[in-house]
Amino acid sequence: MLNQSAALDLTFQALADPARRAMVERLSKSPASVSELARPLAMSLPAVMQHLAVLESSGLVVSQKIGRVRTCRIEPKAISLAEQWINARRGEWERRLDRLGDYLEELKAKGDEDGSGG
């Protein structure tokens, strides 16, 4: 559990930056070279490399260098871990809101029975 928590921390830390989210969004379509990832961003290539290092250390992105070209791709397992965590929280809150809705309906029905008319 602690290891999973550390992995989630790294994932969310990596996704906290808009440039890194833009890179992840681009890579979700298909693998891309570093220069392709850098093109739409208003930053230097060394800055892009630093952002990619954060994404790689979080496990969200893996890269491979062939010749002079470094190609990056999404690592689905890391995204799946974050997705599972978010879905668990969503499910918990949906159940709580459903219970609140049921309770409010009971109060409304009770008020109607008492003649207070809601």
Side-chain angles (χ1 to χ4, degrees):
M1 182 76 170
L2 187 59
N3 190 28
Q4 187 178 25
S5 180
L8 278 172
D9 290 348
L10 288 172
T11 297
F12 288 122
Q13 178 185 6
L15 293 173
D17 184 87
R20 291 192 290 265
R21 286 194 307 273
M23 290 180 197
V24 168
E25 180 69 26
R26 167 56 187 86
L27 291 171
S28 69
K29 294 173 176 74
S30 67
S33 69
V34 173
S35 59
E36 288 174 316
L37 291 173
R39 197 170 296 130
L41 302 173
M43 63 179 67
S44 67
L45 198 56
V48 170
M49 292 298 293
Q50 286 180 327
H51 283 294
L52 283 171
V54 172
L55 289 169
E56 284 190 88
S57 68
S58 74
L60 287 168
V61 171
V62 293
S63 69
Q64 179 181 19
K65 189 170 185 179
I66 300 175
R68 299 182 71 190
V69 177
R70 178 168 296 281
T71 302
C72 304
R73 65 176 173 79
I74 289 289
E75 177 52 59
K77 289 180 192 174
I79 297 217
S80 178
L81 181 64
E83 181 182 26
Q84 289 170 16
W85 186 87
I86 290 168
N87 286 337
R89 305 293 83 64
R90 178 186 297 131
E92 183 178 315
W93 278 102
E94 285 173 351
R95 285 187 298 278
R96 288 179 182 181
L97 289 171
D98 287 345
R99 285 197 314 262
L100 176 60
D102 293 344
Y103 177 71
L104 293 173
E105 285 296 319
E106 286 177 28
L107 287 178
K108 182 180 179 205
K110 185 177 181 181
D112 288 345
E113 288 174 7
D114 293 342
S116 59

